[in-house]
Amino acid sequence: MPHNLYKKALLEKKTSATYRTLGVRPPSRLCFASNDYLGLSNHPAIKQELLNALELDRVGATGSRLLSGNAAFINAFENQIALDKNQEAALIFNSGFQANLTILATLLNKQILGQEPLVFADRLNHASMHAGCQLAGIRQQRYQHLDLNHLETLLKKHQHLPRPKFILTESIFGMDGDQIDLESLSQLADKHGAFLYVDEAHATGVAGNHGYGLTSSCKGRVHGAMGTFSKALGLAGAYFAGDTLIKDYLVNFAPGFIYSTAQPFPILYAANKAWNMVRDMEAERSHLQLLRSILQQELDQLGLATTPSTSHIFAIVFRCADRTLAVAEKLKNQGIAVSVIRPPTVPMGSSRLRIALKATHRIEDIQQLVEALKNNT
Ligand SMILES: Cc1ncc(COP(=O)(O)O)c(C=O)c1O
């Protein structure tokens, strides 16, 4: 039995201060630890939509979308996503992780491509993108985070190889809060004939045209955009947006789509509602911008090591996991929740406190956070 080996792996984790437990955290007075960037997870209109859906329709989808689990309202929702993302078509998945895993494994399928594709991936891409590449059995060429010169060097190094090329990146990076230069990246992809795949998990709802992500204004230059309903939309699930051909290909070849029961219908009704609310949430996005500029100024003055954030996500890097945990604990004792992010989620030596702003925060909340950081770091 393998139990002793699992035990040994767990012991190693315990000694490196990266051991995880499923603690139930009492709600904090001030929460900077959630991805509920627009405060929609607790919005009365979303809750009402769930209740309406319960009246109107069944709860469980009862089957995959290809069997008993499809409905006209889901097709219409996908059409709306495609429209807002400036793409031909969209396809809904049950979670962001599942979407990246199955979409990438399917797009990078060596048998269908006839050879191993060349995959250029930002070093800090989310684990689900790595998992998709791993499932496809391909070796990634990982470029330095956001470093387009490094990416170009790698692209040039391989340009003589007539293999399909893919570039994989997040748009706003979930752990560092910085973002791609989409214009330059798409030009580079174009120049090298590479398929550009962008994960908009942390941009959906908060950035780009009407809040629909950085790629929403980029017609024809991004070949695959995915995003989640689990962050700013406050729910669960994910979408892919791209050409109709790619949608049809995924519907026919992506196991994570074909062989999984569709999401419960009330969640999809609510996600549809949240998606449509995003369009009219410019005031919330402006407020987030205001909060971010206040926090940025304050953090600069405190002189703490931060990542070069351009968004509502900030990271204070402490390197040592123990120190990061200790600071988070002190903040927690004052009723302030922040996330502790440790390896392997981030590279070794870059443990950090992750601070995620929400449109429901007030300026006074930011001031309280800053005061607590001042006294405890
Ligand atoms: C960049 C990125 N992509 C995908 C996911 C997975 O999304 P989900 O939580 O909906 O599975 C996450 C979640 O943390 C993420 O940060």
Side-chain angles (χ1 to χ4, degrees), residues 79 81-90 215 218-225 241-243:
N79 290 341
I81 293 173
L83 207 64
D84 292 323
K85 293 297 291 182
N86 234 320
Q87 295 280 1
E88 279 179 12
T215 64
C218 218
K219 194 170 177 67
R221 286 180 298 152
V222 171
H223 309 98
D243 288 356

Short mmCIF file of all heavy atoms in Angstrom, two decimals, residues 79 81-90 215 218-225 241-243:
data_model
loop_
_atom_site.label_atom_id
_atom_site.label_comp_id
_atom_site.label_asym_id
_atom_site.label_seq_id
_atom_site.Cartn_x
_atom_site.Cartn_y
_atom_site.Cartn_z
N ASN A 79 -24.38 32.80 -26.70
CA ASN A 79 -24.37 33.79 -27.81
C ASN A 79 -24.06 35.18 -27.26
O ASN A 79 -23.34 35.97 -27.90
CB ASN A 79 -25.71 33.80 -28.54
CG ASN A 79 -25.92 32.53 -29.34
OD1 ASN A 79 -24.96 31.82 -29.63
ND2 ASN A 79 -27.17 32.22 -29.69
N ILE A 81 -22.35 35.89 -24.52
CA ILE A 81 -20.93 35.93 -24.13
C ILE A 81 -20.08 36.21 -25.38
O ILE A 81 -19.19 37.07 -25.37
CB ILE A 81 -20.49 34.60 -23.46
CG1 ILE A 81 -21.19 34.44 -22.11
CG2 ILE A 81 -18.98 34.55 -23.27
CD1 ILE A 81 -20.97 33.08 -21.43
N ALA A 82 -20.38 35.48 -26.46
CA ALA A 82 -19.61 35.64 -27.69
C ALA A 82 -19.68 37.10 -28.17
O ALA A 82 -18.66 37.71 -28.53
CB ALA A 82 -20.14 34.70 -28.77
N LEU A 83 -20.87 37.67 -28.13
CA LEU A 83 -21.07 39.05 -28.57
C LEU A 83 -20.23 40.01 -27.72
O LEU A 83 -19.51 40.86 -28.25
CB LEU A 83 -22.56 39.38 -28.39
CG LEU A 83 -23.19 40.42 -29.27
CD1 LEU A 83 -23.16 39.95 -30.72
CD2 LEU A 83 -24.66 40.64 -28.84
N ASP A 84 -20.30 39.84 -26.40
CA ASP A 84 -19.58 40.75 -25.50
C ASP A 84 -18.07 40.55 -25.55
O ASP A 84 -17.31 41.45 -25.23
CB ASP A 84 -20.08 40.57 -24.05
CG ASP A 84 -21.52 41.06 -23.91
OD1 ASP A 84 -21.87 42.07 -24.55
OD2 ASP A 84 -22.31 40.42 -23.18
N LYS A 85 -17.65 39.34 -25.92
CA LYS A 85 -16.22 39.07 -26.01
C LYS A 85 -15.69 39.39 -27.41
O LYS A 85 -14.50 39.19 -27.67
CB LYS A 85 -15.92 37.59 -25.71
CG LYS A 85 -16.16 37.14 -24.30
CD LYS A 85 -15.29 37.84 -23.28
CE LYS A 85 -13.83 37.47 -23.34
NZ LYS A 85 -13.03 38.14 -22.30
N ASN A 86 -16.59 39.86 -28.31
CA ASN A 86 -16.16 40.16 -29.68
C ASN A 86 -15.59 38.93 -30.39
O ASN A 86 -14.59 39.00 -31.10
CB ASN A 86 -15.06 41.24 -29.63
CG ASN A 86 -15.43 42.41 -30.50
OD1 ASN A 86 -15.97 42.22 -31.60
ND2 ASN A 86 -15.16 43.60 -30.02
N GLN A 87 -16.23 37.79 -30.14
CA GLN A 87 -15.79 36.54 -30.76
C GLN A 87 -17.00 35.92 -31.46
O GLN A 87 -18.13 36.32 -31.23
CB GLN A 87 -15.28 35.56 -29.69
CG GLN A 87 -14.03 36.01 -28.97
CD GLN A 87 -12.74 35.76 -29.75
OE1 GLN A 87 -12.77 35.26 -30.88
NE2 GLN A 87 -11.62 36.12 -29.17
N GLU A 88 -16.74 34.92 -32.29
CA GLU A 88 -17.86 34.29 -33.03
C GLU A 88 -18.74 33.44 -32.13
O GLU A 88 -19.95 33.35 -32.34
CB GLU A 88 -17.28 33.36 -34.11
CG GLU A 88 -16.85 34.07 -35.36
CD GLU A 88 -16.27 33.08 -36.38
OE1 GLU A 88 -16.41 31.83 -36.23
OE2 GLU A 88 -15.68 33.58 -37.34
N ALA A 89 -18.12 32.76 -31.16
CA ALA A 89 -18.87 31.75 -30.40
C ALA A 89 -18.33 31.61 -28.98
O ALA A 89 -17.21 32.06 -28.69
CB ALA A 89 -18.77 30.39 -31.11
N ALA A 90 -19.14 31.02 -28.13
CA ALA A 90 -18.69 30.78 -26.75
C ALA A 90 -19.20 29.43 -26.28
O ALA A 90 -20.18 28.89 -26.82
CB ALA A 90 -19.18 31.88 -25.82
N THR A 215 -9.51 41.16 -23.50
CA THR A 215 -9.57 40.69 -24.89
C THR A 215 -10.87 41.10 -25.60
O THR A 215 -11.02 40.88 -26.79
CB THR A 215 -9.47 39.15 -24.97
OG1 THR A 215 -10.62 38.58 -24.31
CG2 THR A 215 -8.21 38.63 -24.30
N CYS A 218 -10.56 43.13 -28.74
CA CYS A 218 -9.45 42.65 -29.57
C CYS A 218 -9.93 41.73 -30.68
O CYS A 218 -9.52 40.58 -30.75
CB CYS A 218 -8.50 41.91 -28.66
SG CYS A 218 -6.79 42.17 -29.05
N LYS A 219 -10.83 42.18 -31.51
CA LYS A 219 -11.45 41.29 -32.50
C LYS A 219 -10.42 40.64 -33.43
O LYS A 219 -9.56 41.31 -34.00
CB LYS A 219 -12.46 42.08 -33.33
CG LYS A 219 -13.38 41.18 -34.12
CD LYS A 219 -14.52 42.01 -34.73
CE LYS A 219 -15.43 41.18 -35.58
NZ LYS A 219 -16.20 40.20 -34.86
N GLY A 220 -10.51 39.33 -33.50
CA GLY A 220 -9.69 38.60 -34.49
C GLY A 220 -8.25 38.39 -34.09
O GLY A 220 -7.51 37.70 -34.79
N ARG A 221 -7.80 38.96 -32.98
CA ARG A 221 -6.38 38.81 -32.67
C ARG A 221 -6.10 37.87 -31.50
O ARG A 221 -4.97 37.52 -31.22
CB ARG A 221 -5.76 40.18 -32.41
CG ARG A 221 -5.59 40.94 -33.74
CD ARG A 221 -4.99 42.28 -33.55
NE ARG A 221 -5.85 43.09 -32.71
CZ ARG A 221 -5.42 44.07 -31.94
NH1 ARG A 221 -4.15 44.34 -31.88
NH2 ARG A 221 -6.26 44.78 -31.24
N VAL A 222 -7.19 37.49 -30.79
CA VAL A 222 -7.05 36.50 -29.73
C VAL A 222 -7.84 35.27 -30.18
O VAL A 222 -9.01 35.38 -30.52
CB VAL A 222 -7.60 37.05 -28.39
CG1 VAL A 222 -7.66 35.97 -27.33
CG2 VAL A 222 -6.74 38.21 -27.91
N HIS A 223 -7.18 34.13 -30.21
CA HIS A 223 -7.83 32.95 -30.80
C HIS A 223 -8.65 32.16 -29.79
O HIS A 223 -9.53 31.40 -30.16
CB HIS A 223 -6.77 32.08 -31.46
CG HIS A 223 -5.90 32.89 -32.37
ND1 HIS A 223 -4.67 33.37 -31.99
CD2 HIS A 223 -6.12 33.36 -33.61
CE1 HIS A 223 -4.16 34.09 -32.97
NE2 HIS A 223 -5.01 34.10 -33.97
N GLY A 224 -8.31 32.34 -28.51
CA GLY A 224 -9.09 31.68 -27.47
C GLY A 224 -9.04 32.52 -26.21
O GLY A 224 -7.95 32.87 -25.74
N ALA A 225 -10.22 32.92 -25.71
CA ALA A 225 -10.26 33.66 -24.44
C ALA A 225 -11.12 32.85 -23.50
O ALA A 225 -12.22 32.44 -23.87
CB ALA A 225 -10.85 35.05 -24.65
N ALA A 241 -14.33 31.63 -25.29
CA ALA A 241 -14.85 32.39 -26.44
C ALA A 241 -13.80 32.37 -27.55
O ALA A 241 -12.61 32.58 -27.30
CB ALA A 241 -15.17 33.83 -26.03
N GLY A 242 -14.25 32.09 -28.76
CA GLY A 242 -13.33 32.01 -29.89
C GLY A 242 -14.10 31.77 -31.18
O GLY A 242 -15.31 32.03 -31.26
N ASP A 243 -13.41 31.25 -32.19
CA ASP A 243 -14.07 30.96 -33.47
C ASP A 243 -15.10 29.84 -33.31
O ASP A 243 -14.94 28.95 -32.47
CB ASP A 243 -13.04 30.46 -34.49
CG ASP A 243 -12.13 31.56 -34.96
OD1 ASP A 243 -12.36 32.72 -34.57
OD2 ASP A 243 -11.19 31.25 -35.71
#
